[in-house]
Amino acid sequence: MLTGKQKRFLRGLGHSLKPVVTVGKSDISEAVLATTNEALDSHELIKVKILESCFMDRHEVAEQLCEATGADLAQVLGRTLLIYRPAKEPRLELPRG
């Protein structure tokens, strides 16, 4: 679970990122989960774009993605999510609580 200070730190880092995962009409499929896991393994912090064609609520998408991948939600801004999961050897050093 991320603290408020850590979420602020991650939002600052995520500002310049481009979305690497897109959730569309098929909602959260196995392919989306696999892509999200791969992206988190290599980047730790990723942006996920939710398209207009997605029928799910954005908060529901965030909850399901984070639960399925074991990640933490740093931000929901419009139809964009910022998700963080530390790698086995973390490259990002989060501020203490």
Side-chain angles (χ1 to χ4, degrees), residues 18-23 31-33 35-37 39-40 46-50 65:
K18 301 281 185 225
V20 293
V21 178
T22 306
V23 179
V32 170
L33 289 176
T35 305
T36 305
N37 269 320
L40 284 168
I46 63 167
K47 271 189 181 175
V48 177
K49 184 70 175 167
I50 304 170
L65 266 181

Side-chain angles (χ1 to χ4, degrees), residues 1-96:
M1 191 72 179
L2 296 171
T3 64
K5 192 177 205 178
Q6 291 169 334
K7 286 182 181 181
R8 262 192 316 278
F9 175 76
L10 291 172
R11 285 196 305 259
L13 292 176
H15 183 72
S16 62
L17 296 178
K18 301 281 185 225
V20 293
V21 178
T22 306
V23 179
K25 199 178 347 184
S26 62
D27 295 331
I28 298 178
S29 62
E30 290 299 320
V32 170
L33 289 176
T35 305
T36 305
N37 269 320
E38 288 175 21
L40 284 168
D41 286 342
S42 59
H43 299 294
E44 288 186 289
L45 182 67
I46 63 167
K47 271 189 181 175
V48 177
K49 184 70 175 167
I50 304 170
L51 300 178
E52 292 289 330
S53 60
C54 181
F55 298 115
M56 295 174 67
D57 178 62
R58 59 196 175 131
H59 295 287
E60 190 179 342
V61 171
E63 184 180 316
Q64 286 188 19
L65 266 181
C66 289
E67 190 176 304
T69 59
D72 287 310
L73 181 66
Q75 183 180 34
V76 176
L77 184 62
R79 300 185 71 79
T80 304
L81 313 174
L82 189 63
I83 298 177
Y84 171 76
R85 182 178 72 192
K88 294 190 186 338
E89 294 181 26
R91 291 182 293 276
L92 297 177
E93 188 171 330
L94 296 179
R96 299 219 182 259

